[in-house]
């Protein structure tokens, strides 16, 4: 069982696996996002209160969700690297951080663009918004901590530790709308029993979400290949790869 | 004749206290900073002094956070620079004890001292006497939590070239809930409402970090020391 | 691997930046054996000493004490250890005596008398109550040596202990090293001039 | 081939800039601090955000003063600790030139950078666009004055054990007029009144300190160096 | 007073705390004369050197250069001076070459070639572009010596320049000292071992 695990986590294997997965993931992402955009922006009916402004949701909600899941993934991968000293964990964490940070920026930007028509302001110091901003700080902190070390091994472990400590922020962001009275929308989609959203709006949203997830996976694979190559540049298999290309 | 955990703790506490009292500036720095920040605000606000009382909780808490944060930078730095941190790491005692002793002494000279001095500042800012218990309690819990969080940050950044900025970048996001609940508790107490909600939350945060942070800070220091 | 060896290094490799500083160092130390490490400046003597005391984890290779990797038995191993680095590692604001009390006290219970005796032995009892900040370079070095003495450690790892010392001081250190060996202690000393009766490891540039 | 005054100035400026850019934390520290202080306030105020705009000038100016003050502590300290200050003092050039170059570079990386970044903060604090010119001008004059004042303080306290507290104690009373007039100018500009009065006063202070402070700072450094 | 002397100290007294460290030191140095200062640890060698370069003003007595008190002609005198203290006085964040450029550049106009030549002369041209922080103790000391060389100063005041150096390094310093004397330079060197051909001032404990 452990042997199997170690083989799965060995850099050359991951390098090849990522190459196989990336095109499938990215292809799926293109399909889902394509359908979601067309259906969501063109065919879905305008909201009875918000008019067309609500369509920002098709970018905003998926990127906000992914900003949270990417952070969790980064922390878990870093934890695996820290505790079991499995190098690929750190590589995954390092590859995921900038993608997650970009999703966070996207969520903040789309959110504040949406805030202008909705709340009459781009920014308010509201719990959800503030905690999402903190998430961005955490991403930046993790990335700069990693790069501040001259020795990459120590940088990886330090960044992993910080990522784990910061995970506490994820549930805070998620539940902030329930714990404090907030300007921000409560859960709209996740109420599976009775989503408070008509299907014609919901399906494109779900498709966008799936598409964003696939996109994240695909980009992660691509970045992971780069990370692994860079980290293993001393080893023999990388030299073979380079020679072969 | 082995040295037990309590001896290690008490020896380290005495060492730290001795060092703080030998360098009165390290001891006074957080307090003076706290006083100065709270004194500057009324000056900057001079035309609209009526605002002062409404913003008092924010001023008080921001000043407390900043002054604790600034002194946190030196938690391991002095020892790292003169080589004594290496000696401590090689002393054959669990590093966790040493980290805990250093953090607690830091809190005693920054956090606890600040709590003791805060009534003075509170009077100057026009915070009514009835709000003092909630304010003192929230400051005490908040600064202790911050010292623990800061120990993690200081452990992660000791010896780094970008140390101090990184420390703020790491600690402040984690400390924002403290500010929100701390200022919230004080504010509610001032306006006569019950501050129990935010205080419970602060207490929970404090217990949580006091149990987990020593391990995280030790792990952090080990990573950077290696 | 020599099973009688107390401290042994096995094919230790260390990189600093892109310099391959230690290139497969192996060595064994038994009780009563003190090794002199020498070699041109910048060849990795300090690096080797830091590997030996566990402050630096080598990228490859293994450091073991009585057969067990020192990372496994870190605290036990380090309790036996006295390391003196390039710097004297004194807190400038504490007096010489306090410096000793707080660092030696973590290793073993120690009385003020013991510490004063150690200071006297290295010839700085007059500085016991001066803050380390005002001491001269040689006096600081002597206080650091007194710390090593007072720790009563089995393993001594000393980085250029002769630095800044006058002739009498150098003799003193030589005598202390000899006595340490006679007590059955072991360890390593970095020094640029040849020391009598010590096995020598010469690092190459 | 003697080295002229201009060469000394330009060499020292290049040295300082090189050092600041090698240690991005020293460079970013004042900016990050400035941002953080201004971001913390709204959080602490969360229940009464309507107050934010009224206290914006005070927040802006207190943050600017504190961030400049904190970085002033290191003006001569780093050089004193690694022995390079002795080398500078022995270089055979007028010490005044060296002090001036160090102070100017300090202002460039703290004060000037802060002025450039202040519009961002001003927007977040809700300061209207029309008030920007007065705000920028007042911040520029104020931080330059503060750098000069700080150089005197840093010169007097370098090497002292109670250095940093003394520095705050020396500099802040001198800096209070800056705060009052600076925040006053910004406040008037926000409310649409003419800010010329306080601005003239700030300009006068700036000219005064820029001519006198270099001499005072050099004398101060000489006293502590000897 | 000897009028031929370039640098002369006259009955210099210095107290540190309540220690009377220098008790009436008088000495004269002419062109081409290098003085060795030695004596047990803590007897005031470093203090004496700092008095000679004007960093420390003696409580009593007078230090003069060509008959004028050095406090009167501070800038002219210090322009002729190269002082190497116990610490290498390098900025850890600057490379060895930059360290030299910014400190030597204040004394005289100097080309990068000159500086690299000085580094090569002390055997650390390979470290020219490494930040001083990562250099080994001996390498740092060699960079400090390269600074003294590149300054082309007439007066050298060196505090234990042999510290941390390997055997080759020690020989190099001896050679540099001889060449400095031959060029007509003067100055003082603190060292614990006897140096050939140098007049010696022995401080007493
Ligand atoms: C800068 C401003 C904003 C930020 C930082 C922000 C942040 C977030 C975050 C982090 C989530 C994911 C929450 C989770 O998964 O638990 C989210 C979801 C969402 N946001 Fe925003 N938001 C902003 C503005 C807005 C605005 C103006 C609206 C519209 C009124 C809005 C509507 C939504 C909706 C409908 C969801 C999906 C809710 C769900 O089903 O969980 N957001 N936002
Ligand atoms: N980041 C780095 N990049 C390049 N080289 C480095 C780096 N860090 C350290 N080094 C080099 O590694 C070596 C470290 O050697 P170490 O300090 O162990 O030398 P040493 O043998 O103790 O020398 P000394 O006798 O001078 O004390 C030096 O040559 C140094 O220049
Ligand atoms: N504040 C003080 N109180 C008492 N003694 C002091 C004080 N400051 C310095 N000293 C003493 O003055 C002397 C300074 O000597 P200095 O540093 O010049 O010695 P040195 O000859 O250079 O010694 P070394 O060979 O160790 O470098 C030391 O003995 C030191 O203990
Ligand atoms: Mg060395
Ligand atoms: Mg000396």
């Amino acid at each position: 069982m452990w042997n199997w695990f170690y083989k799965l986590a060995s850099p050359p294997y991951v390098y090849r696996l990522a190459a196989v997965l990336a095109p499938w993931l990215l292809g799926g992402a293109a399909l889902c996002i394509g359908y979601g955009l067309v259906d969501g922006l063109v065919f879905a009916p305008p909201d009875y209160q918000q008019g067309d402004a609500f369509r920002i949701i098709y970018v905003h909600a998926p990127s906000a969700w992914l900003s949270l899941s990417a952070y969790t993934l980064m922390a878990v991968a870093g934890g695996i690297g820290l505790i079991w000293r499995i190098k690929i964990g750190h590589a995954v964490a390092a590859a995921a951080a900038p993608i997650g940070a970009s999703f966070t920026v996207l969520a903040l930007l789309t959110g504040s663009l949406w805030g202008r028509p909705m709340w009459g302001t781009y920014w308010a110091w509201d719990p959800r918004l503030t905690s999402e901003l903190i998430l961005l700080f955490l991403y930046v902190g993790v990335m700069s901590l990693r790069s501040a070390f001259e020795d990459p091994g120590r940088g990886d472990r330090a960044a992993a530790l910080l990522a784990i400590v910061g995970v506490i922020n994820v549930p805070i962001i998620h539940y902030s709308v329930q714990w404090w009275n907030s300007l921000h929308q409560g859960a709209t989609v996740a109420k599976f029993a009775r989503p408070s959203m008509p299907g014609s709006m919901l399906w494109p949203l779900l498709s966008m979400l799936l598409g964003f997830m696939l996109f994240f996976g695909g980009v992660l694979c691509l970045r992971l290949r780069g990370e692994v190559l860079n980290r293993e540049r001393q080893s023999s298999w990388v030299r073979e790869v380079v020679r072969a290309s | 004749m082995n040295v037990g955990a309590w001896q290690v703790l008490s020896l380290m506490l005495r060492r730290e206290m001795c060092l703080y009292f030998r360098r009165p500036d390290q001891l006074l720095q957080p307090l003076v900073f706290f006083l100065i920040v709270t004194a500057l605000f009324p000056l900057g606000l001079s035309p609209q002094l009526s605002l002062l009382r409404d913003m008092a909780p924010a001023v008080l808490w921001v000043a407390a956070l900043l002054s604790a944060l600034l002194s946190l930078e030196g938690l391991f730095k002095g020892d790292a620079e003169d080589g004594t941190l290496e000696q401590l790491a090689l002393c054959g005692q669990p590093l966790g004890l040493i980290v805990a002793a250093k953090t607690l002494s830091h809190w005693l000279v920054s956090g606890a001292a600040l709590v003791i001095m805060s009534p003075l500042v509170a009077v100057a800012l026009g915070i009514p006497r009835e709000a003092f218990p909630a304010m003192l309690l929230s400051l005490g819990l908040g600064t202790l939590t911050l010292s623990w969080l800061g120990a993690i940050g200081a452990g992660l950044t000791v010896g780094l070239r970008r140390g101090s900025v990184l420390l703020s970048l790491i600690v402040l996001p984690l400390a924002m809930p403290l500010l929100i609940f701390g200022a919230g508790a004080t504010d509610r107490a001032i306006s006569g409402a019950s501050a129990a909600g935010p205080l419970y939350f602060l207490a929970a945060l404090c217990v949580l970090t006091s149990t987990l942070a020593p391990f995280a800070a030790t792990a952090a220091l080990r990573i950077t020391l290696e | 691997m020599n099973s009688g060896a107390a401290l042994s290094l096995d094919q230790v490799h260390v990189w600093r930046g892109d310099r391959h500083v230690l290139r497969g160092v192996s060595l064994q130390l038994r009780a009563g054996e003190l090794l002199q490490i020498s070699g041109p400046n910048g060849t990795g003597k300090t690096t080797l000493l830091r590997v030996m005391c566990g402050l630096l984890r080598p990228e490859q290779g293994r450091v073991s004490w009585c057969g067990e990797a020192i990372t496994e038995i870190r605290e036990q191993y380090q309790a036996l250890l006295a390391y003196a680095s390039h710097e004297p590692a004194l807190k400038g604001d504490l007096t010489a005596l306090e410096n000793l009390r707080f660092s030696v006290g973590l290793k073993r219970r120690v009385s003020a008398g013991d510490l004063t005796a150690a200071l006297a032995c290295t010839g700085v009892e007059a500085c016991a109550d001066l803050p380390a900040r005002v001491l001269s370079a040689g006096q600081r070095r002597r206080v650091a040596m007194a710390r090593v003495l007072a720790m009563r450690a089995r393993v001594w790892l000393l980085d250029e202990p002769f630095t800044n010392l006058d002739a009498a001081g150098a003799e003193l250190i030589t005598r202390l090293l000899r006595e340490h060996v006679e007590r059955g202690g072991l360890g390593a000393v970095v020094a640029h001039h040849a020391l009598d009766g010590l096995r020598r490891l010469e690092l190459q540039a």
Side-chain angles (χ1 to χ4, degrees), chain A, chain B, chain C:
Chain A
M1 155 75 185
W2 276 109
N3 280 340
W4 171 81
F5 190 72
Y6 274 111
K7 178 178 166 289
L8 198 69
S10 85
Y13 184 80
V14 169
Y15 179 76
R16 269 177 275 125
L17 183 69
V20 175
L21 285 181
W24 290 101
L25 292 172
L26 287 178
L31 283 182
C32 291
I33 294 179
Y35 159 74
L37 281 182
V38 172
D39 197 3
L41 296 191
V42 182
F43 295 115
D47 189 84
Y48 71 99
Q49 269 181 330
Q50 306 182 19
D52 279 330
F54 94 96
R55 296 183 199 278
I56 300 181
I57 196 179
Y58 295 117
V59 185
H60 173 72
S63 51
W65 283 325
L66 268 169
S67 68
L68 297 182
S69 9
Y71 190 92
T72 317
L73 178 86
M74 176 179 81
V76 170
I80 290 174
L82 187 66
I83 296 168
W84 288 290
R85 292 193 168 255
I86 295 175
K87 283 195 217 155
I88 207 72
H90 292 306
V92 171
I99 318 176
S102 320
F103 280 125
T104 315
V105 171
L106 197 61
L108 284 166
L109 282 181
T110 50
S112 57
L113 283 181
W114 199 359
R116 185 69 200 173
M118 288 302 299
W119 313 324
T121 169
Y122 288 111
W123 184 258
W125 293 96
D126 162 276
R128 159 78 48 98
L129 313 203
T130 309
S131 51
E132 180 76 359
L133 186 65
I134 292 177
L135 186 72
L136 181 65
F137 288 156
L138 277 173
Y139 270 119
V140 175
V142 169
M143 289 190 291
S144 36
L145 187 63
R146 176 178 281 110
S147 63
F149 282 86
E150 278 166 21
D151 165 22
R154 286 197 294 161
D156 279 337
R157 270 171 283 150
L161 188 71
L162 179 59
I164 294 171
V165 171
V167 150
I168 182 94
N169 194 31
V170 170
I172 293 185
I173 299 178
H174 187 73
Y175 293 109
S176 52
V177 271
Q178 293 168 32
W179 291 349
W180 300 282
N181 48 347
S182 167
L183 280 175
H184 194 280
Q185 207 98 347
T188 344
V189 183
K191 288 190 288 187
F192 276 113
R194 195 176 56 80
S196 45
M197 194 186 253
S200 54
M201 288 183 183
L202 186 61
W203 289 119
L205 182 59
L206 289 182
S207 157
M208 284 298 278
L209 174 62
L210 185 62
F212 267 58
M213 276 152 68
L214 291 174
F215 176 74
F216 173 73
V219 178
L220 184 67
C221 282
L222 290 182
R223 286 190 46 84
L224 188 58
R225 275 168 64 85
E227 274 297 327
V228 169
L229 270 194
N230 188 24
R231 280 154 188 263
E232 300 280 313
R233 60 178 180 274
Q234 312 281 7
S235 68
S236 51
W237 72 267
V238 171
R239 283 199 212 105
E240 266 160 40
V241 168
V242 173
R243 213 175 302 129
S245 66
Chain B
M1 287 188 298
N2 264 344
V3 185
W6 284 115
Q7 267 117 28
V8 173
L9 263 182
S10 92
L11 200 72
M12 282 300 297
L13 277 174
R14 266 184 293 146
R15 171 184 192 266
E16 295 296 304
M17 285 302 155
C18 207
L19 279 171
Y20 280 118
F21 281 89
R22 287 292 152 78
R23 274 182 102 49
D25 76 321
Q26 281 197 1
L27 194 66
L28 293 176
Q29 173 84 355
L31 295 183
V32 170
F33 188 87
F34 183 60
L35 280 181
I36 285 178
V37 175
T38 43
L40 283 181
F41 263 97
L43 282 179
L45 273 184
S46 38
Q48 307 134 311
L49 266 181
S50 54
L51 288 178
L52 192 56
R53 203 174 138 171
D54 293 323
M55 40 180 288
V59 171
L60 194 75
W61 266 87
V62 171
L65 275 195
L66 287 178
S67 76
L69 187 73
L70 286 175
S71 56
L72 271 169
E73 209 196 309
L75 191 56
F76 302 117
K77 205 170 142 205
D79 286 349
E81 276 170 4
D82 60 17
T84 48
L85 190 61
E86 281 180 357
Q87 293 288 342
L88 287 179
L90 287 178
C91 74
Q93 302 295 343
L95 194 55
L97 280 178
I98 290 169
V99 170
K102 284 187 80 81
T103 313
L104 283 179
S105 353
H106 172 266
W107 180 71
L108 284 178
V109 298
S110 72
L114 206 137
V115 171
I116 293 171
M117 227 184 45
S118 57
L120 213 92
V121 172
V123 168
L125 289 176
I127 296 181
R129 202 69 47 88
E130 306 79 65
F132 279 16
M135 177 193 79
L136 291 176
L137 193 59
S138 66
L139 273 180
L141 291 170
T143 49
L144 183 55
T145 315
L146 189 71
S147 286
W148 283 118
L149 290 177
I152 304 180
L156 282 173
T157 56
V158 62
L160 282 189
R161 283 197 295 149
R162 255 172 285 171
S164 42
V165 173
L166 262 181
L167 180 65
S168 326
L169 201 62
I170 288 172
V171 175
L172 278 174
L174 298 175
M176 291 206 174
L178 297 180
L179 178 67
I180 296 174
F181 290 108
T186 317
D187 195 65
R188 279 163 162 254
I190 292 178
S191 59
S194 154
L199 280 179
Y200 279 130
F201 209 93
L202 279 179
L205 277 180
C206 185
V207 171
L208 189 76
T209 46
S210 302
T211 45
L212 293 183
F215 297 98
T218 312
L221 200 59
R222 272 234 192 285
I223 291 170
T224 40
L225 266 181
E226 230 169 47
Chain C
M1 288 267 297
N2 193 317
S3 59
L7 182 62
S8 73
L9 271 71
D10 196 29
Q11 285 297 325
V12 165
H13 288 261
V14 173
W15 278 260
R16 305 259 86 185
D18 20 72
R19 264 200 63 166
H20 192 173
V21 180
L22 296 183
R23 281 163 290 184
V25 176
S26 300
L27 57 89
Q28 270 94 37
L29 289 176
R30 277 182 211 74
E33 197 173 20
L34 211 51
L35 178 79
Q36 172 177 8
I37 304 174
S38 56
N41 290 135
T43 44
K45 303 179 292 298
T46 300
T47 310
L48 181 57
L49 227 52
R50 291 171 61 87
V51 166
M52 289 172 82
C53 63
L55 278 175
L56 201 74
R57 196 190 283 242
E59 269 91 356
Q60 278 174 36
R62 175 187 152 96
V63 187
S64 47
W65 172 254
C66 296
E68 294 196 74
I70 60 167
T71 44
E72 302 291 310
I73 49 163
R74 184 164 24 208
E75 267 118 39
Q76 290 98 299
Y77 172 61
Q78 289 177 344
L80 303 173
L81 196 83
Y83 170 61
S85 64
H86 266 302
E87 289 135 54
L90 302 174
K91 294 258 64 121
D93 292 322
L94 299 180
T95 67
L97 193 61
E98 287 166 342
N99 262 296
L100 256 58
R101 177 175 320 135
F102 292 127
S103 55
V104 179
L106 292 174
K107 289 246 163 163
R108 62 185 195 94
R109 291 205 202 170
V110 70
S111 69
D114 274 12
L115 297 176
T116 329
L119 286 174
C121 178
T122 56
V124 277
E125 72 277 43
C127 308
D129 294 322
L130 286 180
R133 183 172 21 91
V134 308
L135 297 183
S136 82
Q139 286 167 337
R140 253 175 268 169
R141 189 66 53 174
R142 282 161 183 262
V143 175
M145 196 60 208
R147 180 175 52 211
V148 170
L149 273 187
M151 280 182 180
R152 303 235 179 111
R154 277 195 62 198
V155 186
W156 280 12
L157 299 172
L158 313 181
D159 205 348
E160 306 202 25
F162 297 93
T163 312
N164 297 130
L165 293 185
D166 54 22
E171 252 168 57
L172 174 78
I173 301 285
T174 320
R175 208 192 66 224
L176 292 176
L177 291 179
R178 205 179 44 238
E179 289 173 4
H180 180 60
V181 168
E182 280 161 11
R183 271 196 307 272
L186 69 161
V189 183
V190 176
H192 289 296
H193 65 282
L195 297 175
D196 282 351
L198 261 54
R199 182 154 64 98
R200 192 147 165 201
L201 173 77
E202 184 88 27
L203 294 182
Q204 302 301 326

